[in-house]
Amino acid sequence: AIAREDPTNPRTQSFLGAVALVENNFKEAAKYFERALLLNPDAEQVYYDLAGVRLNLQKPEEALALLGKARAKFKIGFVLEFYTAIAHVRMKNYAEAISHFTSAEDLARTNEPARLNHIFYFQMGSAYERSGDHDRAERSFQKCLELSPNDAEAMNYLGYMWADLGVKLDQARVLIQKAVDLEPKNAAFLDSLGWVLFKLNRPTEALSWLLKA
């Protein structure tokens, strides 16, 4: 109804995109945000809204191209750097991703410290782990867990990383067990628990959890 009243108003299109986004209708959201940008190419926030939608649609190259346009038009800020990092992770450009995560962290520390939440450090830790920098990955996941002690995904990721490396196995088991306690039907967590028990030379227990997984 709003779109019929004023289809040429970029704010209307942006609003409709936001509604579609809340409903997880990413294709519809993309359509509205694209229309909003055509109507107003200077609407900075819409670049980031549309980039986020394109990431959800598994189109990191398109997201990165859009963010490049925003980078040429606007002052570099946290959201621009964070989404750029995520796009590079999706494209498996981990070194480039880490560079942008680091930039985003520096910008947020100065201007928007609340941006540096557990979600940020989980994503940063994942990029470090995939790049092979396990020490920095560990620090990022620990920071994530400081900010959100019941983050089961972070517990599992860090615990599995330790188990895979064959280090801190007792700590890994405790972390993964906590994740399983929080989400007892999560097959990935059950698999991780089986893996760390196998690494601890407890094959019978490991098999039980792997079969559950």
Side-chain angles (χ1 to χ4, degrees), residues 125-210:
S126 175
Y128 274 127
E129 187 273 332
R130 293 176 187 183
S131 76
D133 191 337
H134 300 112
D135 289 339
R136 286 190 173 90
E138 178 178 331
R139 288 199 289 272
S140 294
F141 286 127
Q142 294 282 25
K143 184 66 176 178
C144 172
L145 289 168
E146 285 175 23
L147 294 167
S148 181
N150 291 321
D151 190 320
E153 288 286 348
M155 292 176 192
N156 179 67
Y157 204 137
L158 178 56
Y160 187 88
M161 184 183 80
W162 280 339
D164 215 35
L165 294 170
V167 301
K168 302 185 180 181
L169 293 177
D170 288 323
Q171 291 174 254
R173 186 195 61 77
V174 170
L175 272 184
I176 296 169
Q177 183 65 63
K178 286 181 180 178
V180 169
D181 291 343
L182 288 166
E183 297 184 27
K185 294 184 179 181
N186 189 313
F189 297 176
L190 297 172
D191 179 79
S192 295
L193 188 53
W195 180 232
V196 73
L197 287 167
F198 177 78
K199 286 280 198 166
L200 284 163
N201 199 29
R202 292 157 64 175
T204 303
E205 290 176 75
L207 180 60
S208 173
W209 289 105
L210 290 171

Side-chain angles (χ1 to χ4, degrees), residues 47-89:
Y47 284 85
Y48 309 138
D49 292 336
L50 180 54
V53 168
R54 287 179 175 174
L55 288 170
N56 276 299
L57 289 170
Q58 306 304 318
K59 296 179 177 180
E61 294 88 351
E62 291 184 19
L64 196 58
L66 182 66
L67 292 164
K69 292 178 181 179
R71 189 176 297 275
K73 289 175 68 71
F74 309 112
K75 182 180 178 181
I76 296 175
F78 172 86
V79 176
L80 174 59
E81 290 292 73
F82 180 69
Y83 278 170
T84 300
I86 296 295
H88 279 295
V89 167

Side-chain angles (χ1 to χ4, degrees), residues 1-26:
I2 296 172
R4 285 197 298 271
E5 288 173 10
D6 194 356
T8 63
N9 187 328
R11 295 181 70 181
T12 297
Q13 300 306 307
S14 182
F15 172 76
L16 291 170
V19 172
L21 192 55
V22 169
E23 295 172 346
N24 290 326
N25 190 339
F26 300 120

